[in-house]
Amino acid sequence: ASSGEFLCFLDSDDVMHERRVEKQLSVARNHPGDIVGCHFHRLPAGSTHRYTKWACDLTLEQLDTQVYTSNGPTVVMPTWFCHRSVFERAGPFDESGKGTPEDLIFFFSHLRHGGGVERCNDDLMMYRYHQAAATFNISRETILAVSLAELERRVLSQWGHFSIWNAGRQGRKLYRSLHPESRKKVVCFGDVDQKKIDLGVYECVETEERPHPRVPIRHYTQLQAPFIICMKQDLTGGEFEENLAAMKLIEGVDYVFFG
């Protein structure tokens, strides 16, 4: 069994850089309560391009704010490096079996216990991609259910009201999946699609509530903080990101990403 002061995670089919331990240890000594990740590259090259770009382009602030997306932890588990006390405080891993997102469950436990996230911005890992990887046994629905429970626990419980950016399928699905107490806080949907905006309202007929909840649909520029963004990034040639930046809001305070 492991007995060292620091823990270095590594999947059996991945390869780490010869200076990985040295570099992450340096960061971990300065941040003994945090999980420390690093940049990585995929083999075969170009595998999961959007995911790799997202993970490696996150700012240090976004390592804490973008934890509720379907991508999972903002630092990939095979790159984790931490003091033993981090694991003892947040662990052990949930070993319920196939289909359990043990890394995400542990990651959220770590955050709930006051832990932080750091990253060494050097490419120190060859992260192998193959169809037999355990991650493919975990459904997107399971990841979103775990993430939504954490979002409600850590964020929505602190908000007196909020809106949802995306009046389409994903935004409506989020609304229906919310706990009834969270649903009552939803002020409106926001969207850029004029057809959705012209509908004027979303009536949630899939609930047992009577009368059915009716939520206004407005142009995204009319949204007032705080709100949840149910939009995938890096899919609109930068248009969505430019629209968001023009609103001059603070991520993690005025809005969070989900899904």
Side-chain angles (χ1 to χ4, degrees):
S2 169
S3 60
E5 181 182 359
F6 290 88
L7 303 178
C8 179
F9 290 69
L10 178 69
D11 283 353
S12 61
D13 55 355
D14 297 334
V15 179
M16 67 181 191
H17 191 279
E18 61 185 8
R19 296 189 64 190
R20 179 193 172 192
V21 172
E22 171 195 347
K23 293 197 171 193
Q24 288 188 288
L25 177 60
S26 176
V27 178
R29 287 193 187 281
N30 291 323
H31 302 274
D34 296 351
I35 291 176
V36 180
C38 67
H39 282 178
F40 60 89
H41 63 278
R42 300 306 301 256
L43 187 70
S47 305
T48 64
H49 171 73
R50 287 185 58 248
Y51 171 73
T52 302
K53 184 177 185 299
W54 170 81
C56 293
D57 285 356
L58 290 172
T59 66
L60 290 178
E61 292 76 18
Q62 289 173 327
L63 295 178
D64 293 314
T65 59
Q66 293 202 15
V67 297
Y68 307 108
T69 76
S70 59
N71 289 326
T74 48
V75 285
V76 182
M77 190 176 77
T79 73
W80 288 3
F81 192 102
C82 64
H83 192 272
R84 174 173 292 276
S85 62
V86 171
F87 182 83
E88 293 174 342
R89 183 173 60 245
F93 282 112
D94 183 332
E95 299 188 17
S96 299
K98 187 176 180 179
T100 301
E102 59 181 7
D103 58 338
L104 183 61
I105 293 171
F106 182 95
F107 187 70
F108 282 145
S109 175
H110 168 69
L111 297 178
R112 284 198 301 274
H113 283 84
V117 189
E118 289 289 330
R119 188 183 63 211
C120 181
N121 291 327
D122 293 301
D123 183 348
L124 303 175
M125 174 72 66
M126 184 280 287
Y127 184 19
R128 195 180 305 275
Y129 173 85
H130 54 86
Q131 290 294 332
T135 185
F136 291 109
N137 294 322
I138 304 171
S139 72
R140 184 173 183 272
E141 295 302 314
T142 298
I143 293 173
L144 290 179
V146 172
S147 298
L148 178 57
E150 198 67 19
L151 177 71
E152 292 196 296
R153 180 184 296 113
R154 298 183 67 224
V155 178
L156 302 188
S157 64
Q158 307 301 311
W159 288 355
H161 62 84
F162 62 94
S163 300
I164 299 174
W165 185 333
N166 189 341
R169 183 167 59 91
Q170 293 304 320
R172 298 194 304 268
K173 182 177 181 180
L174 168 61
Y175 177 82
R176 295 193 300 270
S177 300
L178 291 169
H179 185 278
E181 290 304 311
S182 296
R183 276 203 304 269
K184 292 177 182 177
K185 298 180 180 181
V186 177
V187 175
C188 69
F189 288 94
D191 211 287
V192 70
D193 186 344
Q194 194 59 47
K195 291 182 179 179
K196 295 185 180 73
I197 297 168
D198 288 343
L199 291 175
V201 67
Y202 165 63
E203 181 175 357
C204 184
V205 299
E206 297 86 351
T207 177
E208 296 180 358
E209 294 180 56
R210 295 295 184 274
H212 292 147
R214 292 171 58 85
V215 185
I217 303 174
R218 299 170 181 161
H219 193 269
Y220 77 90
T221 56
Q222 296 180 308
L223 291 178
Q224 293 187 347
F227 50 84
I228 303 171
I229 300 179
C230 284
M231 298 280 293
K232 285 192 174 295
Q233 303 173 67
D234 196 29
L235 283 178
T236 61
E239 181 179 356
F240 161 69
E241 288 78 9
E242 289 176 4
N243 289 341
L244 178 60
M247 299 177 77
K248 301 186 183 303
L249 300 174
I250 301 174
E251 184 173 354
V253 176
D254 298 317
Y255 66 90
V256 294
F257 283 96
F258 176 81

Coordinates of all heavy atoms in Angstrom, one line a residue, residues 15 52 135 145 164 167 222 228 257:
V15 N 1.4 7.7 -20.1 CA 2.9 7.9 -19.9 C 3.1 9.3 -19.4 O 2.6 10.3 -20.0 CB 3.6 7.6 -21.2 CG1 5.1 7.9 -21.0 CG2 3.4 6.2 -21.8
T52 N -9.9 18.2 -25.0 CA -8.5 18.5 -24.6 C -8.3 20.0 -24.6 O -7.6 20.6 -23.7 CB -7.5 17.9 -25.6 OG1 -7.7 16.4 -25.6 CG2 -6.1 18.1 -25.2
T135 N -13.9 5.3 -18.9 CA -14.8 6.5 -19.0 C -16.0 6.3 -19.9 O -17.0 6.9 -19.7 CB -14.0 7.7 -19.4 OG1 -14.8 8.9 -19.4 CG2 -13.5 7.6 -20.9
A145 N -26.4 14.2 -13.7 CA -27.2 14.0 -12.5 C -26.3 14.3 -11.2 O -26.7 15.1 -10.3 CB -27.8 12.6 -12.4
I164 N -32.1 30.9 -16.9 CA -31.4 29.9 -17.7 C -31.2 30.3 -19.1 O -32.1 30.7 -19.8 CB -32.2 28.6 -17.7 CG1 -32.4 28.0 -16.3 CG2 -31.6 27.5 -18.6 CD1 -33.4 26.8 -16.2
A167 N -33.2 28.4 -24.2 CA -34.6 28.0 -24.2 C -34.9 26.8 -25.0 O -36.0 26.4 -25.2 CB -35.5 29.2 -24.7
Q222 N -31.4 40.5 -22.2 CA -32.3 40.9 -21.2 C -32.2 40.1 -19.9 O -32.9 40.4 -18.9 CB -33.8 40.8 -21.6 CG -34.1 41.8 -22.8 CD -35.6 41.6 -23.3 OE1 -36.0 40.5 -23.5 NE2 -36.2 42.8 -23.3
I228 N -27.7 30.5 -15.2 CA -27.0 29.2 -15.6 C -26.9 29.2 -17.1 O -27.9 29.4 -17.8 CB -27.7 28.0 -15.1 CG1 -27.9 28.0 -13.6 CG2 -27.0 26.7 -15.5 CD1 -28.8 26.9 -13.1
F257 N -21.6 27.7 -15.9 CA -21.9 26.8 -17.0 C -22.4 25.5 -16.4 O -21.9 25.0 -15.4 CB -20.6 26.5 -17.8 CG -20.3 27.6 -18.8 CD1 -19.3 28.6 -18.4 CD2 -20.9 27.7 -20.0 CE1 -19.0 29.6 -19.3 CE2 -20.5 28.7 -20.9 CZ -19.6 29.7 -20.5

